[in-house]
């Protein structure tokens, strides 16, 4: 390979995996091809090698929500030789070798900055093992624009430098969206009222939280993962501490510098805790019922309906683990295995009645697993005041913590909810690139299932829920209730946070923090590079045009995700042409594909995270043919730009 120049824009986990696979493939080529002459540019505005989310200068109270032992940024396990692209330690192995005294074990949840340091070590290992003829330059600048096409691109950097390259890989990460609708109104209210603050959603590590006065009330929108980050920053980050009582509960010791947090969400329930990990780092779940063949058996072609075709099999798989785990605890392993075998046999004739089969095996007292009830536990409730709601909330949190303590193998609930994580790859195969009808993608999948899956299967470590209870006790946190409202009060010049289900819950606040990660949406993205690519029509929004029935034939869903081809993910421009010299991977393509925010793979396992990066690396390093007619996911002709 002669004179190839490749730019990777964004060096979070996705960009780093692309770099790792590029160098691993080049190392394989060095003895079988002509001398190499490849230059790679790794460009990141925040920290090359770690990116924004995992930058190494952020405080240690921002935690990951995957245990250290299940994370690797290498595509292969150590092979006995030097650490290099394609063969290196897992995050846990590296952490133990780098800090044996402070390493808390493979089932611990690391600070995000520590994972950033691991990613930086991966970058150092890649740099140290570059094959002859391969050069890597790391650039800490923002890419303002990319112009060109057909394998010839010019990058304009924020410092004024221009880079000419042959291939461009964009892994630009989380979005920054224009504020519209209700969020725009709330932000405008703060502009008009001195002394108020509205802090837009994003990474808590980058929010101006230090500006919030001690003793003031701060409203927080959302009770998801970012809520826990904001909570930690406003307590631990202000010098407060948590101490453990004799009964194992936590007590919050304030510093006097913290504000009072007033939080809420539609559910009124903080995100559930992850179950204590009982699975080895290389654990891989193999679905029994929720398989591609079973789902496709009665609809082998055309788009699926998530509610009718997909979810029944997924719920059966969740129930299989839920009731199977309960049977194992109650009646032993043999009974659980016979139960699984009978359910599997019944699946030959359609979606099995898993709960009924469990009852036939003698499991009659196990309550059914209802995702709506779990995700919206207070949906049917009305409360006479904050005290009553507080008691019910505490009970719900304590029950969740008890299930989490049992573990993700031994707790029927936590084992079952892990199925929602472990089968994401099956869901992606079924829903990506208009695998669902437009209506079903919008309403059934993104509108119903995804919020519940995010709530139930992507939670924080249990210590965060224990801290919530301690802060509720100390009065430094108020959770107002379900269906939380965030209103403006022109008379007082304040925001008001309240729940219509909890009498007397309204509290005024002077700061409002949106603790929700912005939904990726190309149409609203304000990042300069993204905006320029959109305005020129290089990037377009992916539109699902699939309808299952005549009534849906003309229904379309504009997803807001960047339109790309299938692997290796070339962007499709406004003329319907795919640019073969450019690749878009990760969060910008969310909704074209699903769950693009994943930031790692398990040690030694070639998940989609690794395969996607490897396919881009393979394509970027090979000589490509002239323009070819291809078809995008919507089955309309696309003209490829030759690269």
């Amino acid at each position: 390979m002669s004179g190839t120049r490749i730019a990777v824009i964004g060096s979070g986990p996705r960009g780093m995996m692309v770099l790792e696979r590029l160098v691993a493939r080049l190392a394989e080529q060095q003895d079988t091809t002509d001398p190499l002459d490849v230059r790679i540019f790794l460009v990141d505005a925040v920290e090359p090698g770690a990116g924004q989310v995992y930058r190494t200068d952020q405080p240690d109270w921002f935690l990951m929500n995957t245990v250290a032992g299940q994370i690797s940024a290498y595509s292969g396990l150590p092979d006995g030789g030097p650490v290099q692209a394609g063969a290196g330690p897992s995050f846990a192995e590296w952490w133990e070798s780098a800090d044996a005294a402070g390493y808390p074990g493979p089932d611990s949840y690391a600070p995000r900055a520590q994972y950033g340091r691991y990613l930086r070590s991966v970058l150092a290992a890649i740099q140290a093992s570059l094959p002859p003829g391969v050069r890597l330059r790391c650039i800490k600048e923002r890419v303002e624009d990319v112009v060109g096409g057909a394998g010839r691109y010019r990058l304009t950097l924020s410092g004024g430098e221009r880079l000419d390259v042959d291939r461009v890989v964009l892994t630009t990460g989380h979005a920054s969206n224009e504020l519209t609708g209700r969020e725009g109104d709330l932000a405008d209210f703060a502009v008009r009222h001195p002394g108020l603050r509205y802090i837009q959603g994003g990474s808590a590590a980058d929010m101006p939280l230090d500006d919030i006065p001690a003793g003031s009330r701060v409203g927080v929108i959302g009770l998801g993962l970012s809520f826990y980050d904001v909570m930690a920053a406003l307590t631990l980050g202000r010098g407060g501490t948590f101490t453990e009582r004799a009964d194992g509960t936590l007590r919050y010791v304030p510093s006097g510098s913290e504000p009072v947090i007033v939080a809420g969400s539609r559910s009124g329930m903080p995100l559930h805790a992850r179950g204590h990990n009982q699975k080895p780092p290389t654990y891989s779940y193999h679905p029994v019922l929720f398989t591609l063949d079973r789902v496709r058996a009665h609809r082998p072609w055309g788009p699926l309906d998530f509610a009718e075709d997909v979810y029944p099999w997924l719920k059966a798989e969740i129930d299989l683990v839920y009731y199977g785990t309960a049977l194992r605890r109650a009646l032993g392993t043999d009974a659980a295995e016979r139960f699984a075998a009978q359910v599997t046999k019944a699946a030959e004739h359609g979606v099995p009645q898993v709960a009924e089969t469990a009852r036939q095996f003698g499991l009659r007292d196990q309550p059914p697993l209802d995702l709506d009830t779990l995700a919206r536990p207070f949906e049917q409730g009305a409360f006479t005041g904050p005290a009553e709601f507080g008691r019910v909330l505490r009970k719900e949190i304590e029950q969740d913590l008890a299930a989490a303590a049992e573990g993700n193998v031994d707790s029927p609930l936590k084992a079952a909810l892990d199925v929602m994580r472990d089968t994401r790859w099956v869901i992606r195969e079924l829903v990506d690139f208009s695998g669902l009808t437009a209506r079903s993608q919008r309403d059934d999948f993104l509108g119903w299932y995804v919020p519940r899956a995010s709530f139930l299967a992507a939670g924080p470590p249990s210590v965060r829920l224990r801290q919530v209870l301690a802060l509720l006790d100390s009065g430094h946190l108020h959770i107002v209730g379900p269906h939380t409202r965030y209103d403006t009060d022109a008379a007082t010049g304040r925001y008001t946070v309240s729940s219509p289900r909890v009498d007397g819950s309204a509290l005024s606040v002077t700061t409002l923090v949106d603790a929700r990660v912005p939904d990726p949406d190309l149409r609203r993205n304000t990042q300069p590079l993204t905006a320029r690519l959109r305005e020129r029509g290089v990037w377009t929004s992916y539109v699902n045009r699939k309808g299952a029935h005549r009534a849906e034939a003309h229904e379309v869903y504009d997803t807001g995700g960047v339109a790309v081809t299938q692997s290796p993910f070339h962007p499709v421009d406004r003329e319907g042409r795919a640019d073969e010299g450019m690749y878009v991977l990760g969060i910008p393509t969310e909704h074209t594909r699903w769950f693009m925010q994943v930031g790692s793979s398990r040690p030694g396992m070639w998940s989609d995270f690794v395969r996607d990066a490897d396919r881009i690396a393979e394509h970027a390093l090979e000589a490509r043919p002239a323009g070819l007619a291809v078809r995008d996911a919507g089955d309309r002709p696309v003209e490829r730009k030759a690269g």
Side-chain angles (χ1 to χ4, degrees):
M1 172 160 298
S2 176
T4 301
R5 297 162 66 93
I6 302 171
V8 179
I9 303 174
S11 69
R14 291 271 188 186
M16 285 298 296
M17 183 53 72
V18 171
L19 174 65
E20 198 259 16
R21 291 310 306 156
L22 282 168
V23 175
R25 282 187 166 274
L26 287 166
E28 295 169 358
Q29 293 179 15
Q30 63 179 322
D31 296 326
T32 60
T33 65
D34 295 333
L36 298 172
D37 180 12
V38 179
R39 293 195 67 183
I40 303 173
F41 302 92
L42 185 68
V43 190
D44 194 287
V46 178
E47 185 176 358
Q52 180 176 5
V53 172
Y54 299 105
R55 59 182 174 83
T56 59
D57 63 348
Q58 65 187 295
D60 281 350
W61 52 72
F62 296 123
L63 301 179
M64 302 183 72
N65 70 321
T66 300
V67 296
Q70 294 180 354
I71 298 171
S72 181
Y74 289 96
S75 57
L77 298 170
D79 59 7
V83 176
Q84 59 186 333
S90 70
F91 178 32
E93 291 168 336
W94 170 86
W95 192 358
E96 184 175 22
S97 66
D99 182 17
Y103 173 61
D107 294 329
S108 60
Y109 293 86
R112 287 203 283 268
Q114 186 73 345
Y115 186 51
R117 287 185 276 274
Y118 169 63
L119 290 172
R120 292 280 294 176
S121 79
V122 175
L123 177 59
I126 291 172
Q127 289 174 311
S129 60
L130 291 172
V134 179
R135 289 170 289 173
L136 171 62
R137 180 185 168 196
C138 298
I139 303 172
K140 185 181 177 181
E141 289 192 41
R142 185 174 61 253
V143 177
E144 299 285 358
D145 203 359
V146 177
V147 297
R152 299 291 183 270
Y153 306 91
R154 173 162 288 181
L155 280 60
T156 301
L157 306 184
S158 53
E161 182 180 1
R162 288 174 170 79
L163 294 176
D164 292 327
V165 299
D166 308 299
R167 312 283 184 262
V168 181
V169 185
L170 294 112
T171 61
T172 47
H174 286 286
S176 176
N177 290 340
E178 176 187 3
L179 291 176
T180 59
R182 185 58 179 159
E183 289 79 15
D185 293 340
L186 292 170
D188 289 343
F189 187 74
V191 172
R192 298 194 305 271
H193 292 80
L196 291 191
R197 294 172 183 81
Y198 179 85
I199 299 177
Q200 186 174 353
S203 171
D206 299 317
M207 292 179 178
L209 300 177
D210 290 344
D211 297 339
I212 299 172
S216 67
R217 284 190 189 141
V218 51
V220 178
I221 304 174
L223 292 169
L225 287 174
S226 291
F227 157 74
Y228 292 105
D229 289 341
V230 172
M231 181 187 81
L234 295 178
T235 53
L236 294 169
R238 296 295 182 97
T241 57
F242 293 92
T243 61
E244 189 165 322
R245 299 187 179 100
D247 63 0
T249 61
L250 296 182
R251 171 176 173 266
Y252 182 64
V253 182
S255 68
S257 298
E258 54 273 281
V260 175
I261 301 169
V262 181
S265 67
R266 177 176 175 178
S267 72
M269 174 71 187
L271 207 64
H272 282 207
R274 294 287 307 278
H276 168 66
N277 184 55
Q278 298 175 296
K279 300 173 182 177
T282 56
Y283 171 82
S284 178
Y285 181 78
H286 300 285
V288 175
L289 304 176
F290 184 47
T291 66
L292 300 177
D293 288 343
R294 291 192 197 279
V295 173
R296 277 290 184 188
H298 77 289
R299 195 187 294 274
W301 307 106
L304 298 166
D305 183 292
F306 184 82
E308 294 181 6
D309 303 323
V310 180
Y311 182 68
W313 285 105
L314 172 57
K315 182 57 164 57
E317 187 79 35
I318 294 170
D319 283 344
L320 178 67
V321 173
Y322 177 66
Y323 291 108
T325 303
L327 272 169
R328 176 167 53 82
R329 294 205 315 182
L331 302 175
T333 301
D334 180 66
E337 290 178 349
R338 288 187 290 108
F339 161 74
Q342 185 165 321
V343 170
T344 303
K345 184 171 181 58
E348 296 174 3
H349 307 290
V351 180
Q353 300 300 311
V354 183
E356 177 58 33
T357 305
R359 283 190 286 272
Q360 293 171 9
F361 271 75
L363 196 68
R364 295 183 175 85
D365 297 328
Q366 190 72 17
L369 192 65
D370 183 271
L371 298 191
D372 274 326
T373 301
L374 285 170
R376 306 282 190 267
F378 315 121
E379 190 66 20
Q380 304 304 319
F383 305 91
T384 58
E388 182 189 8
F389 175 71
R391 288 191 293 272
V392 176
L393 173 65
R394 171 175 287 277
K395 182 180 179 181
E396 194 73 27
I397 294 174
E398 288 174 342
Q399 289 175 343
D400 184 62
L401 284 170
E406 293 177 355
N408 59 6
V409 172
D410 291 337
S411 163
L413 175 63
K414 296 301 180 180
L417 296 181
D418 255 19
V419 172
M420 300 171 80
R421 294 173 58 88
D422 294 334
T423 59
R424 284 172 181 155
W425 69 271
V426 183
I427 296 176
R428 280 195 291 267
E429 287 286 332
L430 295 167
V431 308
D432 287 0
F433 297 106
S434 300
L436 303 175
T437 68
R439 182 208 55 78
S440 188
Q441 181 185 8
R442 182 192 62 226
D443 299 341
D444 303 330
F445 183 60
L446 296 175
W448 183 83
Y449 177 75
V450 170
R452 285 152 183 78
S454 298
F455 184 87
L456 297 171
S462 60
V463 66
R464 289 303 199 210
L465 273 295
R466 297 172 64 207
Q467 291 170 349
V468 164
L469 291 178
L471 291 169
L472 290 170
D473 287 341
S474 71
H476 290 87
L477 170 64
H478 300 275
I479 297 177
V480 298
H483 293 273
T484 307
R485 293 178 54 89
Y486 300 88
D487 295 311
T488 58
D489 187 340
T492 63
R494 298 288 184 267
Y495 295 113
T496 301
V497 184
S498 65
S499 167
R501 303 289 180 86
V502 181
D503 292 344
S505 61
L507 291 169
S508 63
V509 300
T510 54
T511 300
L512 202 53
V513 179
D514 192 342
R516 300 170 298 179
V517 176
D519 193 39
D521 189 340
L522 175 64
R523 299 160 299 183
R524 297 170 52 212
N525 195 309
T526 60
Q527 293 172 331
L529 174 59
T530 300
R532 291 186 177 105
L533 293 172
R534 178 188 65 223
E535 288 161 5
R536 292 201 302 272
V538 178
W539 280 12
T540 58
S541 178
Y542 183 86
V543 179
N544 183 347
R545 305 178 186 277
K546 298 295 182 69
H549 309 293
R550 182 170 298 177
E552 298 179 348
H554 300 294
E555 186 164 358
V556 299
Y557 173 51
D558 189 340
T559 68
V562 174
V564 292
T565 66
Q566 297 196 32
S567 179
F569 316 115
H570 304 301
V572 179
D573 68 15
R574 65 162 61 110
E575 303 300 327
R577 298 171 301 182
D579 187 342
E580 282 202 325
M582 184 180 285
Y583 314 83
V584 188
L585 183 63
I587 289 173
T589 65
E590 183 70 24
H591 306 322
T592 306
R593 307 172 68 201
W594 179 61
F595 207 76
M596 292 293 97
Q597 64 266 41
V598 63
S600 65
S601 187
R602 293 193 180 188
M605 297 177 64
W606 272 52
S607 64
D608 291 348
F609 182 81
V610 178
R611 283 195 296 270
D612 288 351
D614 183 66
R615 183 66 187 100
I616 288 173
E618 178 186 34
H619 192 271
L621 293 172
E622 69 185 11
R624 290 192 297 286
L628 297 173
V630 298
R631 292 182 180 273
D632 68 3
D635 286 339
R636 60 188 177 88
V638 173
E639 175 189 344
R640 280 185 183 164
K641 293 179 182 177

